[in-house]
Amino acid sequence: MAGFVLRRCLVAVLVLLAVSMLSFGLLKLSGDLATAMAGEQAGADYVAFLRKEYGLDRPLPVQYLHWLGRTLTGDLGTSFYYATPVTDLVAERLPITMTLGLSALLFAVTLSVPLGVLAALHPDGWIDRVVLGIALLGQATPTFWLCFLMILLFGINLRWLPISGTASAAHYVMPTVALGYYAAPAFTRIVRAGMIEALASDYVRTARAKGLRPHAVVLQHALRNALVPVVSVAAVQLGFMLGGSVVIETIFALHGVGYLAWQSISQNDYPVVQAIVLTIACFYVVLTLAADLLNAAIDPRIRLS
């Protein structure tokens, strides 16, 4: 187990290093940062002063190592637009995005696991086809269209839910459903396939032969093994939700990291965009690593792969 953990941690560190290089490179490819900071109307002398002041006249490897050293200490630079430390901006907005991502993941799992089990208990029947139809609809429905539909129905016509802001838990209901419904089909198909395979296995037939109750066979034996791949998918989906919350947060005016990314892109605030890309990537890598270690703890066979 120790060797498996060490290998996975080493891979995670290498991936993070590659992500930092890409993040740094994207900032350089966006254009001349000195000109962006000075403004289009600034003179050449002032642009040259900023280039020297921020070390932009040094070789790229030197700039990268300097930037990486500052990043490792938590210094992500200063926002061009807000003129405040990027770390403070991201830290202020991150709880909103995390709340949205976790609630959407919980909604997706809560919706998909029962549907997947129900479909597996009635394979190729009308219940199975209905469940697969719901999953297909969720995968095919554009997220932004679902957002506008819910705003029109529940926010404007029925006036049941607020359509913007983060003042209360009710403000997160529609964003959570919109973000979670897109991820639910993947969980539903995985649980269905895992349950069908588990219900046809020898250990389940043995459990039934022992006279165990049907619900005990399904929940304690089949479902436990069927949920192993869900852990990995949940980590990947949570990272995807955190990174893909830009549209949701913009539509519902949730001032999280996604909304900050959209604002920063429109304002050419490159340090903030770079920090958000790096932050989301770090979350994605850490979540994937955590899923690998948890799966290895659940299923010892994974440690030998």
Side-chain angles (χ1 to χ4, degrees):
M1 183 66 178
F4 176 84
V5 173
L6 184 60
R7 290 195 303 271
R8 285 294 186 269
C9 290
L10 180 60
V11 170
V13 171
L14 293 176
V15 171
L16 287 175
L17 185 61
V19 167
S20 70
M21 293 180 182
L22 290 174
S23 179
F24 179 80
L26 287 175
L27 185 63
K28 295 302 177 183
L29 291 175
S30 60
D32 188 359
L33 298 182
T35 303
M37 287 187 289
E40 297 181 357
Q41 305 300 325
D45 293 340
Y46 184 58
V47 173
F49 166 76
L50 289 178
R51 187 174 289 111
K52 184 176 181 59
E53 180 71 17
Y54 287 91
L56 301 175
D57 56 341
R58 292 182 289 181
L60 282 179
V62 177
Q63 293 184 45
Y64 169 72
L65 292 176
H66 179 68
W67 172 81
L68 182 62
R70 290 191 296 107
T71 300
L72 292 176
T73 62
D75 182 7
L76 297 175
T78 303
S79 167
F80 294 166
Y81 183 80
Y82 296 98
T84 57
V86 175
T87 305
D88 295 343
L89 283 175
V90 175
E92 180 183 357
R93 307 290 187 93
L94 190 58
I96 296 176
T97 300
M98 290 297 297
T99 301
L100 175 61
L102 290 172
S103 59
L105 179 64
L106 179 61
F107 170 79
V109 172
T110 303
L111 175 66
S112 60
V113 170
L115 289 178
V117 172
L118 191 62
L121 293 176
H122 305 84
D124 300 323
W126 68 269
I127 295 179
D128 187 21
R129 287 193 289 269
V130 169
V131 171
L132 292 178
I134 295 174
L136 179 63
L137 182 64
Q139 198 75 52
T141 302
T143 304
F144 69 89
W145 181 83
L146 180 60
C147 292
F148 290 133
L149 183 64
M150 289 192 297
I151 289 174
L152 182 63
L153 179 61
F154 299 109
I156 297 177
N157 291 339
L158 298 178
R159 298 183 180 275
W160 288 354
L161 296 169
I163 62 177
S164 64
T166 57
S168 66
H171 289 79
Y172 286 93
V173 173
M174 289 194 289
T176 295
V177 172
L179 190 59
Y181 185 54
Y182 183 79
F187 291 115
T188 302
R189 290 194 296 268
I190 290 174
V191 172
R192 175 185 177 275
M195 283 294 296
I196 290 176
E197 181 181 356
L199 290 172
S201 62
D202 293 335
Y203 65 86
V204 169
R205 284 194 291 267
T206 302
R208 286 171 174 167
K210 291 180 178 179
L212 295 180
R213 295 180 179 180
H215 73 272
V217 173
V218 171
L219 298 179
Q220 297 178 13
H221 292 76
L223 183 59
R224 180 179 179 181
N225 290 277
L227 288 180
V228 172
V230 175
V231 176
S232 297
V233 177
V236 174
Q237 287 291 342
L238 180 56
F240 173 79
M241 289 174 180
L242 295 178
S245 63
V246 177
V247 175
I248 304 293
E249 292 184 9
T250 302
I251 293 175
F252 290 101
L254 303 177
H255 288 200
V257 172
Y259 188 73
L260 178 63
W262 176 81
Q263 286 181 314
S264 301
I265 292 171
S266 62
Q267 295 159 354
N268 294 327
D269 200 347
Y270 303 119
V272 178
V273 176
Q274 182 187 49
I276 292 174
V277 170
L278 187 61
T279 301
I280 297 300
C282 288
F283 269 107
Y284 198 90
V285 172
V286 171
L287 289 171
T288 304
L289 174 62
D292 288 341
L293 298 182
L294 183 57
N295 276 336
I298 296 174
D299 189 352
R301 294 173 298 178
I302 297 177
R303 307 171 199 170
L304 303 177
S305 59

